Amino acid sequence: MTDFYAPTQFTAKAGAPTTLVLHGKDSGGCARAFTIPALGVQEIAKRTVTPT
């Protein structure tokens, strides 16, 4: 587990439609890869852009 995502853990109700929105905390490289193997999910998180 890494701290590149917030929250680092979550719970979803079985059988209920669920939407998960990823915001990478200035992550790069392989830290942007997000997977849930049991569900066949493989995504690359977009980098969070912080206004200056």
PDB file of all heavy atoms in Angstrom, residues 17-44:
ATOM      1  N   PRO A  17     -23.915  -0.370  -7.249  1.00  0.00           N
ATOM      2  CA  PRO A  17     -23.060   0.376  -8.171  1.00  0.00           C
ATOM      3  C   PRO A  17     -22.163   1.334  -7.388  1.00  0.00           C
ATOM      4  O   PRO A  17     -22.617   1.996  -6.443  1.00  0.00           O
ATOM      5  CB  PRO A  17     -24.043   1.156  -9.040  1.00  0.00           C
ATOM      6  CG  PRO A  17     -25.338   0.428  -8.902  1.00  0.00           C
ATOM      7  CD  PRO A  17     -25.337  -0.165  -7.520  1.00  0.00           C
ATOM      8  N   THR A  18     -20.910   1.383  -7.761  1.00  0.00           N
ATOM      9  CA  THR A  18     -19.937   2.204  -7.043  1.00  0.00           C
ATOM     10  C   THR A  18     -19.069   2.954  -8.040  1.00  0.00           C
ATOM     11  O   THR A  18     -18.638   2.382  -9.035  1.00  0.00           O
ATOM     12  CB  THR A  18     -19.037   1.329  -6.152  1.00  0.00           C
ATOM     13  OG1 THR A  18     -19.866   0.598  -5.246  1.00  0.00           O
ATOM     14  CG2 THR A  18     -18.052   2.149  -5.356  1.00  0.00           C
ATOM     15  N   THR A  19     -18.834   4.219  -7.785  1.00  0.00           N
ATOM     16  CA  THR A  19     -17.936   5.022  -8.606  1.00  0.00           C
ATOM     17  C   THR A  19     -16.748   5.416  -7.753  1.00  0.00           C
ATOM     18  O   THR A  19     -16.910   5.932  -6.653  1.00  0.00           O
ATOM     19  CB  THR A  19     -18.640   6.294  -9.121  1.00  0.00           C
ATOM     20  OG1 THR A  19     -19.767   5.900  -9.907  1.00  0.00           O
ATOM     21  CG2 THR A  19     -17.699   7.135  -9.961  1.00  0.00           C
ATOM     22  N   LEU A  20     -15.570   5.178  -8.270  1.00  0.00           N
ATOM     23  CA  LEU A  20     -14.331   5.537  -7.589  1.00  0.00           C
ATOM     24  C   LEU A  20     -13.595   6.527  -8.471  1.00  0.00           C
ATOM     25  O   LEU A  20     -13.311   6.237  -9.635  1.00  0.00           O
ATOM     26  CB  LEU A  20     -13.473   4.286  -7.364  1.00  0.00           C
ATOM     27  CG  LEU A  20     -12.111   4.486  -6.723  1.00  0.00           C
ATOM     28  CD1 LEU A  20     -12.273   5.038  -5.307  1.00  0.00           C
ATOM     29  CD2 LEU A  20     -11.356   3.175  -6.698  1.00  0.00           C
ATOM     30  N   VAL A  21     -13.317   7.701  -7.937  1.00  0.00           N
ATOM     31  CA  VAL A  21     -12.594   8.732  -8.680  1.00  0.00           C
ATOM     32  C   VAL A  21     -11.204   8.828  -8.082  1.00  0.00           C
ATOM     33  O   VAL A  21     -11.049   9.062  -6.886  1.00  0.00           O
ATOM     34  CB  VAL A  21     -13.314  10.098  -8.594  1.00  0.00           C
ATOM     35  CG1 VAL A  21     -12.526  11.165  -9.333  1.00  0.00           C
ATOM     36  CG2 VAL A  21     -14.727   9.981  -9.141  1.00  0.00           C
ATOM     37  N   LEU A  22     -10.189   8.636  -8.926  1.00  0.00           N
ATOM     38  CA  LEU A  22      -8.805   8.667  -8.459  1.00  0.00           C
ATOM     39  C   LEU A  22      -8.190  10.032  -8.699  1.00  0.00           C
ATOM     40  O   LEU A  22      -8.334  10.600  -9.774  1.00  0.00           O
ATOM     41  CB  LEU A  22      -7.969   7.626  -9.206  1.00  0.00           C
ATOM     42  CG  LEU A  22      -8.397   6.181  -9.071  1.00  0.00           C
ATOM     43  CD1 LEU A  22      -7.520   5.301  -9.955  1.00  0.00           C
ATOM     44  CD2 LEU A  22      -8.320   5.732  -7.628  1.00  0.00           C
ATOM     45  N   HIS A  23      -7.494  10.531  -7.692  1.00  0.00           N
ATOM     46  CA  HIS A  23      -6.724  11.764  -7.808  1.00  0.00           C
ATOM     47  C   HIS A  23      -5.327  11.445  -7.302  1.00  0.00           C
ATOM     48  O   HIS A  23      -5.124  11.309  -6.099  1.00  0.00           O
ATOM     49  CB  HIS A  23      -7.333  12.896  -6.975  1.00  0.00           C
ATOM     50  CG  HIS A  23      -8.692  13.297  -7.409  1.00  0.00           C
ATOM     51  ND1 HIS A  23      -8.912  14.110  -8.507  1.00  0.00           N
ATOM     52  CD2 HIS A  23      -9.910  12.991  -6.927  1.00  0.00           C
ATOM     53  CE1 HIS A  23     -10.209  14.296  -8.662  1.00  0.00           C
ATOM     54  NE2 HIS A  23     -10.845  13.617  -7.716  1.00  0.00           N
ATOM     55  N   GLY A  24      -4.369  11.285  -8.210  1.00  0.00           N
ATOM     56  CA  GLY A  24      -2.991  11.017  -7.797  1.00  0.00           C
ATOM     57  C   GLY A  24      -2.392  12.258  -7.168  1.00  0.00           C
ATOM     58  O   GLY A  24      -2.513  13.352  -7.706  1.00  0.00           O
ATOM     59  N   LYS A  25      -1.769  12.112  -6.029  1.00  0.00           N
ATOM     60  CA  LYS A  25      -1.166  13.243  -5.326  1.00  0.00           C
ATOM     61  C   LYS A  25       0.226  13.504  -5.901  1.00  0.00           C
ATOM     62  O   LYS A  25       1.225  13.108  -5.345  1.00  0.00           O
ATOM     63  CB  LYS A  25      -1.104  12.976  -3.831  1.00  0.00           C
ATOM     64  CG  LYS A  25      -2.459  12.856  -3.196  1.00  0.00           C
ATOM     65  CD  LYS A  25      -2.494  12.619  -1.701  1.00  0.00           C
ATOM     66  CE  LYS A  25      -1.282  12.131  -1.027  1.00  0.00           C
ATOM     67  NZ  LYS A  25      -1.481  11.776   0.375  1.00  0.00           N
ATOM     68  N   ASP A  26       0.275  14.176  -7.061  1.00  0.00           N
ATOM     69  CA  ASP A  26       1.535  14.474  -7.747  1.00  0.00           C
ATOM     70  C   ASP A  26       2.364  13.221  -7.977  1.00  0.00           C
ATOM     71  O   ASP A  26       3.574  13.258  -7.948  1.00  0.00           O
ATOM     72  CB  ASP A  26       2.344  15.521  -6.971  1.00  0.00           C
ATOM     73  CG  ASP A  26       1.612  16.851  -6.870  1.00  0.00           C
ATOM     74  OD1 ASP A  26       0.940  17.225  -7.844  1.00  0.00           O
ATOM     75  OD2 ASP A  26       1.701  17.500  -5.827  1.00  0.00           O
ATOM     76  N   SER A  27       1.708  12.101  -8.168  1.00  0.00           N
ATOM     77  CA  SER A  27       2.400  10.838  -8.374  1.00  0.00           C
ATOM     78  C   SER A  27       2.920  10.743  -9.803  1.00  0.00           C
ATOM     79  O   SER A  27       2.451  11.422 -10.695  1.00  0.00           O
ATOM     80  CB  SER A  27       1.464   9.665  -8.077  1.00  0.00           C
ATOM     81  OG  SER A  27       0.339   9.724  -8.919  1.00  0.00           O
ATOM     82  N   GLY A  28       3.884   9.887  -9.984  1.00  0.00           N
ATOM     83  CA  GLY A  28       4.446   9.672 -11.309  1.00  0.00           C
ATOM     84  C   GLY A  28       4.853   8.223 -11.471  1.00  0.00           C
ATOM     85  O   GLY A  28       4.898   7.456 -10.511  1.00  0.00           O
ATOM     86  N   GLY A  29       5.131   7.840 -12.686  1.00  0.00           N
ATOM     87  CA  GLY A  29       5.592   6.485 -12.965  1.00  0.00           C
ATOM     88  C   GLY A  29       4.586   5.428 -12.568  1.00  0.00           C
ATOM     89  O   GLY A  29       3.382   5.610 -12.686  1.00  0.00           O
ATOM     90  N   CYS A  30       5.106   4.314 -12.060  1.00  0.00           N
ATOM     91  CA  CYS A  30       4.238   3.176 -11.718  1.00  0.00           C
ATOM     92  C   CYS A  30       3.313   3.459 -10.538  1.00  0.00           C
ATOM     93  O   CYS A  30       2.338   2.749 -10.336  1.00  0.00           O
ATOM     94  CB  CYS A  30       5.063   1.924 -11.460  1.00  0.00           C
ATOM     95  SG  CYS A  30       6.167   2.056 -10.053  1.00  0.00           S
ATOM     96  N   ALA A  31       3.588   4.513  -9.768  1.00  0.00           N
ATOM     97  CA  ALA A  31       2.711   4.866  -8.648  1.00  0.00           C
ATOM     98  C   ALA A  31       1.336   5.296  -9.136  1.00  0.00           C
ATOM     99  O   ALA A  31       0.379   5.292  -8.375  1.00  0.00           O
ATOM    100  CB  ALA A  31       3.337   5.969  -7.804  1.00  0.00           C
ATOM    101  N   ARG A  32       1.217   5.644 -10.418  1.00  0.00           N
ATOM    102  CA  ARG A  32      -0.076   6.047 -10.973  1.00  0.00           C
ATOM    103  C   ARG A  32      -0.934   4.848 -11.361  1.00  0.00           C
ATOM    104  O   ARG A  32      -2.109   4.998 -11.657  1.00  0.00           O
ATOM    105  CB  ARG A  32       0.142   6.950 -12.184  1.00  0.00           C
ATOM    106  CG  ARG A  32       0.757   8.281 -11.775  1.00  0.00           C
ATOM    107  CD  ARG A  32       1.115   9.165 -12.949  1.00  0.00           C
ATOM    108  NE  ARG A  32       0.021   9.298 -13.874  1.00  0.00           N
ATOM    109  CZ  ARG A  32       0.181   9.443 -15.185  1.00  0.00           C
ATOM    110  NH1 ARG A  32       1.372   9.450 -15.714  1.00  0.00           N
ATOM    111  NH2 ARG A  32      -0.869   9.568 -15.971  1.00  0.00           N
ATOM    112  N   ALA A  33      -0.351   3.652 -11.366  1.00  0.00           N
ATOM    113  CA  ALA A  33      -1.105   2.445 -11.727  1.00  0.00           C
ATOM    114  C   ALA A  33      -2.007   2.045 -10.566  1.00  0.00           C
ATOM    115  O   ALA A  33      -1.572   1.970  -9.423  1.00  0.00           O
ATOM    116  CB  ALA A  33      -0.153   1.315 -12.065  1.00  0.00           C
ATOM    117  N   PHE A  34      -3.268   1.800 -10.872  1.00  0.00           N
ATOM    118  CA  PHE A  34      -4.257   1.407  -9.864  1.00  0.00           C
ATOM    119  C   PHE A  34      -4.921   0.133 -10.346  1.00  0.00           C
ATOM    120  O   PHE A  34      -5.458   0.095 -11.454  1.00  0.00           O
ATOM    121  CB  PHE A  34      -5.303   2.517  -9.686  1.00  0.00           C
ATOM    122  CG  PHE A  34      -6.333   2.201  -8.653  1.00  0.00           C
ATOM    123  CD1 PHE A  34      -6.097   2.461  -7.324  1.00  0.00           C
ATOM    124  CD2 PHE A  34      -7.539   1.624  -9.021  1.00  0.00           C
ATOM    125  CE1 PHE A  34      -7.060   2.166  -6.364  1.00  0.00           C
ATOM    126  CE2 PHE A  34      -8.497   1.320  -8.073  1.00  0.00           C
ATOM    127  CZ  PHE A  34      -8.252   1.590  -6.743  1.00  0.00           C
ATOM    128  N   THR A  35      -4.867  -0.911  -9.543  1.00  0.00           N
ATOM    129  CA  THR A  35      -5.450  -2.186  -9.957  1.00  0.00           C
ATOM    130  C   THR A  35      -6.299  -2.793  -8.844  1.00  0.00           C
ATOM    131  O   THR A  35      -6.019  -2.622  -7.664  1.00  0.00           O
ATOM    132  CB  THR A  35      -4.371  -3.218 -10.338  1.00  0.00           C
ATOM    133  OG1 THR A  35      -3.552  -3.489  -9.201  1.00  0.00           O
ATOM    134  CG2 THR A  35      -3.494  -2.711 -11.462  1.00  0.00           C
ATOM    135  N   ILE A  36      -7.353  -3.467  -9.256  1.00  0.00           N
ATOM    136  CA  ILE A  36      -8.147  -4.322  -8.380  1.00  0.00           C
ATOM    137  C   ILE A  36      -8.224  -5.652  -9.128  1.00  0.00           C
ATOM    138  O   ILE A  36      -9.134  -5.875  -9.934  1.00  0.00           O
ATOM    139  CB  ILE A  36      -9.555  -3.765  -8.103  1.00  0.00           C
ATOM    140  CG1 ILE A  36      -9.491  -2.341  -7.557  1.00  0.00           C
ATOM    141  CG2 ILE A  36     -10.309  -4.681  -7.122  1.00  0.00           C
ATOM    142  CD1 ILE A  36     -10.847  -1.685  -7.380  1.00  0.00           C
ATOM    143  N   PRO A  37      -7.238  -6.539  -8.905  1.00  0.00           N
ATOM    144  CA  PRO A  37      -7.150  -7.778  -9.674  1.00  0.00           C
ATOM    145  C   PRO A  37      -8.419  -8.622  -9.651  1.00  0.00           C
ATOM    146  O   PRO A  37      -8.823  -9.154 -10.684  1.00  0.00           O
ATOM    147  CB  PRO A  37      -5.975  -8.511  -9.026  1.00  0.00           C
ATOM    148  CG  PRO A  37      -5.138  -7.432  -8.427  1.00  0.00           C
ATOM    149  CD  PRO A  37      -6.126  -6.396  -7.967  1.00  0.00           C
ATOM    150  N   ALA A  38      -9.070  -8.732  -8.518  1.00  0.00           N
ATOM    151  CA  ALA A  38     -10.265  -9.579  -8.399  1.00  0.00           C
ATOM    152  C   ALA A  38     -11.409  -9.091  -9.285  1.00  0.00           C
ATOM    153  O   ALA A  38     -12.283  -9.866  -9.659  1.00  0.00           O
ATOM    154  CB  ALA A  38     -10.721  -9.647  -6.945  1.00  0.00           C
ATOM    155  N   LEU A  39     -11.391  -7.800  -9.636  1.00  0.00           N
ATOM    156  CA  LEU A  39     -12.452  -7.229 -10.466  1.00  0.00           C
ATOM    157  C   LEU A  39     -11.984  -6.931 -11.888  1.00  0.00           C
ATOM    158  O   LEU A  39     -12.739  -6.401 -12.695  1.00  0.00           O
ATOM    159  CB  LEU A  39     -12.988  -5.938  -9.824  1.00  0.00           C
ATOM    160  CG  LEU A  39     -13.601  -6.091  -8.435  1.00  0.00           C
ATOM    161  CD1 LEU A  39     -14.016  -4.731  -7.895  1.00  0.00           C
ATOM    162  CD2 LEU A  39     -14.777  -7.055  -8.456  1.00  0.00           C
ATOM    163  N   GLY A  40     -10.713  -7.234 -12.171  1.00  0.00           N
ATOM    164  CA  GLY A  40     -10.181  -6.970 -13.503  1.00  0.00           C
ATOM    165  C   GLY A  40      -9.991  -5.496 -13.803  1.00  0.00           C
ATOM    166  O   GLY A  40      -9.994  -5.088 -14.958  1.00  0.00           O
ATOM    167  N   VAL A  41      -9.798  -4.681 -12.768  1.00  0.00           N
ATOM    168  CA  VAL A  41      -9.630  -3.238 -12.945  1.00  0.00           C
ATOM    169  C   VAL A  41      -8.144  -2.912 -13.074  1.00  0.00           C
ATOM    170  O   VAL A  41      -7.342  -3.320 -12.228  1.00  0.00           O
ATOM    171  CB  VAL A  41     -10.227  -2.455 -11.757  1.00  0.00           C
ATOM    172  CG1 VAL A  41      -9.923  -0.975 -11.859  1.00  0.00           C
ATOM    173  CG2 VAL A  41     -11.722  -2.699 -11.661  1.00  0.00           C
ATOM    174  N   GLN A  42      -7.790  -2.188 -14.121  1.00  0.00           N
ATOM    175  CA  GLN A  42      -6.433  -1.688 -14.328  1.00  0.00           C
ATOM    176  C   GLN A  42      -6.550  -0.292 -14.919  1.00  0.00           C
ATOM    177  O   GLN A  42      -6.994  -0.128 -16.043  1.00  0.00           O
ATOM    178  CB  GLN A  42      -5.656  -2.585 -15.283  1.00  0.00           C
ATOM    179  CG  GLN A  42      -5.443  -3.979 -14.764  1.00  0.00           C
ATOM    180  CD  GLN A  42      -4.624  -4.823 -15.736  1.00  0.00           C
ATOM    181  OE1 GLN A  42      -4.230  -4.373 -16.798  1.00  0.00           O
ATOM    182  NE2 GLN A  42      -4.379  -6.049 -15.358  1.00  0.00           N
ATOM    183  N   GLU A  43      -6.175   0.710 -14.144  1.00  0.00           N
ATOM    184  CA  GLU A  43      -6.293   2.097 -14.579  1.00  0.00           C
ATOM    185  C   GLU A  43      -5.002   2.852 -14.265  1.00  0.00           C
ATOM    186  O   GLU A  43      -4.254   2.468 -13.379  1.00  0.00           O
ATOM    187  CB  GLU A  43      -7.453   2.801 -13.873  1.00  0.00           C
ATOM    188  CG  GLU A  43      -8.809   2.208 -14.151  1.00  0.00           C
ATOM    189  CD  GLU A  43      -9.287   2.423 -15.575  1.00  0.00           C
ATOM    190  OE1 GLU A  43      -8.851   3.400 -16.231  1.00  0.00           O
ATOM    191  OE2 GLU A  43     -10.099   1.605 -16.036  1.00  0.00           O
ATOM    192  N   ILE A  44      -4.786   3.939 -14.974  1.00  0.00           N
ATOM    193  CA  ILE A  44      -3.684   4.851 -14.689  1.00  0.00           C
ATOM    194  C   ILE A  44      -4.313   6.147 -14.182  1.00  0.00           C
ATOM    195  O   ILE A  44      -5.117   6.773 -14.876  1.00  0.00           O
ATOM    196  CB  ILE A  44      -2.832   5.138 -15.939  1.00  0.00           C
ATOM    197  CG1 ILE A  44      -2.261   3.837 -16.506  1.00  0.00           C
ATOM    198  CG2 ILE A  44      -1.720   6.132 -15.621  1.00  0.00           C
ATOM    199  CD1 ILE A  44      -1.312   3.094 -15.588  1.00  0.00           C
TER     200      ILE A  44
END
